[in-house]
Amino acid sequence: MSENSRPSGVPEYGPSPVNPEWPPPPPHAPQQPAGGPATPPAAAAFAAPATPAHRRSRGPAKLLVAVAIVAAAVGGTTAYGVQELTGGSATGVTASSTADTDVVPASLKGTVAGVAKAVSPSIVEIKAASSSGSATGSGVIVTEDGEVVTNNHVVAGASQIQVRTSDGKSYSAQVVGTDPAKDLALIKLEDASGLKAASLGDSDGVQVGDQVVAIGSPEGLTGTVTSGIVSALDRDVTVSTDESQGQQQWQRGGGWPFEFEGQEFNGDTGGSTTTYKAIQTDASLNPGNSGGALIDMNGNIIGINSAMYAPSGAESSTAGSVGLGFAIPVNTLKADLPELRAGAGS
């Protein structure tokens, strides 16, 4: 607009003037017919006399666009808030769990006590009986209706399996599937419901030096908690795939035979063996920890404890855990679960 076309009295700088072509608002609200509802003041303010369409659309249209933008912003914020509160999308679809789930109470975050409180209800004691004797191991609950993961060597050849949960309840169990090559097995508790399933983490994210917690039933001491660090990754651990090999020694509490770095521990592994990559930990593990959980500080399972060097000498200097334990990475378990559920090996 040129200076000559500027309306008289309007300064060169400052707020834009009201368009002189817009009609002024009425001096008062239009009268309503007798008996009809009175027009609200807010509505009356927009009740201007009709004008040609090309004039009427310029002011109110801009106002409506601005209102729409504000509404969209508010709506987006509200949707985000709903999603944050519900843990899912704004449409009510629950988000799937992730490997970074934090199951430890906020007040105990980063503590061994917090991990123990959060995860102990998901760890069970397993007693397996066979014709040659009985042995005690551990397991991890993976479904509320009683699917439990453990080591294959804990239940191999068992004719009867009894499981006790952290609250003292006992269940009979049946083998669903086994994978001797990975030393994994899946059992199912009979008539179980409402159990607390563990959160399966991501073993690919584990680093040497990470603090970890182990929970199991060493020597039949249900719910025993120990802690340590991840000592090494991708250790080649060799175990027997022969169900009868080492069972008697295992059932006597001597530990399950395995080979590491060319050495045999806990007895002879025999001629039929398999090797897997394991997480090494210095968390104290003893016979009975087999099949139990190795857990990160957020309460996620990162491994299934499977092998530990447990000297059986009579001298006190060689008795007990020496900080050499191994766990099957949980990602190996997660990849194997569909086949175990389908009855592999059984």
Side-chain angles (χ1 to χ4, degrees):
M1 178 182 294
S2 67
E3 183 173 341
N4 293 334
S5 61
R6 186 184 307 114
S8 176
V10 177
E12 181 175 358
Y13 301 103
S16 300
V18 176
N19 193 320
E21 294 183 348
W22 293 352
H28 53 78
Q31 297 296 322
Q32 295 295 328
T39 302
F46 291 97
T51 59
H54 71 281
R55 295 181 180 178
R56 185 173 60 248
S57 64
R58 296 175 64 182
K62 292 181 180 179
L63 178 61
L64 291 175
V65 169
V67 171
I69 291 174
V70 173
V74 172
T77 303
T78 302
Y80 177 80
V82 170
Q83 184 172 353
E84 288 297 296
L85 289 172
T86 62
S89 67
T91 59
V93 178
T94 303
S96 60
S97 61
T98 69
D100 296 325
T101 302
D102 193 343
V103 299
V104 177
S107 60
L108 296 174
K109 185 176 177 63
T111 66
V112 175
V115 174
K117 180 176 182 179
V119 185
S120 289
S122 301
I123 311 302
V124 301
E125 176 189 84
I126 299 175
K127 290 187 175 182
S130 68
S131 58
S132 57
S134 62
T136 299
S138 305
V140 178
I141 299 171
V142 293
T143 63
E144 294 182 354
D145 61 351
E147 283 187 348
V148 172
V149 170
T150 186
N151 289 142
N152 177 64
H153 72 255
V154 172
V155 296
S159 57
Q160 185 178 17
I161 301 173
Q162 291 292 319
V163 174
R164 184 168 64 171
T165 55
S166 64
D167 59 2
K169 294 182 180 178
S170 294
Y171 300 86
S172 295
Q174 301 294 327
V175 175
V176 175
T178 62
D179 188 346
K182 297 183 179 68
D183 197 16
L184 290 171
L186 181 69
I187 64 175
K188 180 68 164 60
L189 310 190
E190 297 177 357
D191 302 321
S193 63
L195 302 180
K196 183 176 181 180
S199 171
L200 303 183
D202 181 7
S203 51
D204 287 344
V206 174
Q207 300 183 57
V208 174
D210 283 350
Q211 189 175 1
V212 291
V213 174
I215 304 179
S217 300
E219 308 295 349
L221 301 174
T222 305
T224 295
V225 177
T226 59
S227 65
I229 63 168
V230 172
S231 305
L233 298 171
D234 298 325
R235 293 298 203 194
D236 288 330
V237 174
T238 300
V239 297
S240 175
T241 57
D242 184 349
E243 289 189 356
S244 62
Q245 183 67 37
Q247 279 289 345
Q248 291 185 354
Q249 184 166 345
W250 158 252
Q251 290 161 356
R252 290 196 303 268
W256 183 250
F258 72 98
E259 295 178 13
F260 173 67
E261 295 289 338
Q263 301 181 65
E264 286 191 339
F265 300 94
N266 308 335
D268 184 10
T269 56
S272 177
T273 61
T274 184
T275 301
Y276 57 83
K277 299 289 186 180
I279 299 171
Q280 182 180 328
T281 179
D282 71 348
S284 180
L285 302 178
N286 289 286
N289 274 112
S290 288
L294 190 66
I295 313 156
D296 68 18
M297 299 310 291
N298 288 326
N300 298 301
I301 311 299
I302 60 169
I304 302 298
N305 297 322
S306 57
M308 65 289 301
Y309 176 42
S312 57
E315 297 181 6
S316 60
S317 61
T318 60
S321 172
V322 295
L324 186 62
F326 301 93
I328 301 166
V330 75
N331 286 5
T332 300
L333 164 63
K334 291 193 290 187
D336 208 29
L337 265 178
E339 293 188 12
L340 293 174
R341 285 174 170 147
S346 63

